């Protein structure tokens, strides 16, 4: 039975698996799904929303459950795997954020955005880290910048969050977003922050974006 299960896993994940667990089915999940055609060779990406609630602690716990399930059958993942919890500061307590970030394992890591995922989108257009007063302010600023730069007509933030083709809209500026994030040199979890560029740079083939 174990050998049969291993064959199923190998057929489903012939390359290294990157399994993302997000707060909800919108926003970051849509962005990640759009990256699939541009991955480096022999990588497989899965993204889904947490089935355990959308707080940072709940998302991380959901990711940990996935990690435990995969790790029990790790011999089937011959090319390796990594599970990534994706969550924002939003209303989460900073003590919870720090505890999560300090408990990362080699194959269980986190993407954390402060105040929200839209700040990562914002870096595709701007090279600075404003002191946003709220997630709402950050998301609205991102909305305005996207409408202006890419000639879009998103009416409100929820429309932007639900946009399934968001990666296609901003992909030509991904290299710049990564550079901008590195320039910002984020260190304080309690201020404007993202580490999304680290895992994205690990898996994306930037050359494919130009083809």
């Amino acid at each position: 039975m174990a050998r049969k299960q291993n064959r199923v896993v190998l057929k489903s994940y012939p390359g290294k698996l990157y399994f993302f667990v997000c707060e909800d089915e919108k926003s970051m999940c849509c962005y990640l799904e759009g990256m699939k055609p541009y991955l480096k060779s022999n990588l497989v990406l899965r993204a889904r929303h947490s089935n355990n609630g959308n707080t940072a602690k709940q998302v991380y716990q959901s990711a940990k459950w996935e990690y435990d399930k995969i790790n029990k059958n790790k011999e089937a993942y011959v090319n390796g795997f990594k599970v990534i919890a994706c969550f924002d500061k939003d209303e989460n307590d900073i003590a919870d954020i720090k505890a999560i970030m300090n408990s990362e394992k080699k194959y269980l890591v986190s993407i954390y955005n402060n105040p929200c995922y839209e700040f990562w989108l914002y870096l595709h257009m701007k090279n600075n880290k404003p002191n946003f007063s709220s997630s709402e302010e950050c998301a609205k600023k991102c909305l305005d910048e996207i409408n202006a730069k890419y000639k879009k007509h998103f009416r409100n933030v929820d429309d932007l969050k639900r946009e399934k083709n968001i990666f296609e809209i901003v992909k030509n500026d991904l290299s710049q977003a990564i550079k901008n994030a590195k320039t910002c040199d984020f260190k304080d979890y309690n201020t404007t922050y993202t580490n999304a560029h680290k895992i994205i740079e690990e898996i994306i083939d930037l050359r494919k974006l130009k083809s």
Side-chain angles (χ1 to χ4, degrees), residues 57-122:
K57 291 173 69 174
Q58 290 168 333
V59 172
Y60 187 75
Q61 182 59 61
S62 185
K64 190 175 184 301
W65 288 336
E66 292 296 344
Y67 168 84
D68 290 340
K69 285 193 295 184
I70 295 172
N71 197 47
K72 285 181 181 178
N73 197 34
K74 62 183 178 182
E75 66 278 0
Y77 295 84
V78 294
N79 295 295
F81 69 91
K82 185 174 285 188
V83 180
I84 306 98
C86 305
F87 50 86
D88 301 334
K89 173 61 175 68
D90 291 329
E91 302 303 318
N92 289 294
D93 191 288
I94 194 62
D96 292 337
I97 299 295
K98 290 179 178 179
I100 291 170
M101 300 301 283
N102 291 333
S103 65
E104 288 188 340
K105 303 178 181 180
K106 185 176 181 180
Y107 304 114
L108 175 60
V109 299
S110 300
I111 287 179
Y112 167 59
N113 299 296
N114 186 354
C116 56
Y117 143 82
E118 282 77 18
F119 174 58
W120 167 242
L121 280 185
Y122 176 84

Side-chain angles (χ1 to χ4, degrees), residues 122 125-126 141-150:
Y122 176 84
M125 300 162 284
K126 296 293 182 179
K141 181 64 175 174
C142 179
L143 171 71
D144 292 341
E145 294 291 347
I146 284 180
N147 279 344
K149 181 176 178 63
Y150 303 109

Side-chain angles (χ1 to χ4, degrees), residues 1 9 18 39 42 45 49 64 70 76 80 84 130 134 154 166 171 176 183 199 202:
M1 183 68 180
V9 170
Y18 283 78
L39 300 178
N42 298 317
L45 185 155
H49 64 88
K64 190 175 184 301
I70 295 172
I84 306 98
S134 65
F154 292 111
I166 187 61
K171 68 178 184 182
Q176 190 61 51
T183 301
I199 194 73
E202 184 177 322

Side-chain angles (χ1 to χ4, degrees), residues 118-168:
E118 282 77 18
F119 174 58
W120 167 242
L121 280 185
Y122 176 84
L123 287 173
H124 290 67
M125 300 162 284
K126 296 293 182 179
N127 184 18
N128 55 57
K129 49 178 180 178
N131 186 24
F132 295 110
S133 62
S134 65
S135 297
E136 290 75 17
E137 180 191 2
C138 177
K140 180 61 168 60
K141 181 64 175 174
C142 179
L143 171 71
D144 292 341
E145 294 291 347
I146 284 180
N147 279 344
K149 181 176 178 63
Y150 303 109
K151 304 295 188 296
K152 297 299 177 181
H153 302 282
F154 292 111
R155 295 170 298 175
N156 52 58
V157 170
D158 197 52
D159 282 350
L160 177 62
K161 288 180 179 292
R162 294 182 181 278
E163 176 54 60
K164 293 186 180 298
N165 294 318
I166 187 61
F167 186 76
E168 286 296 316

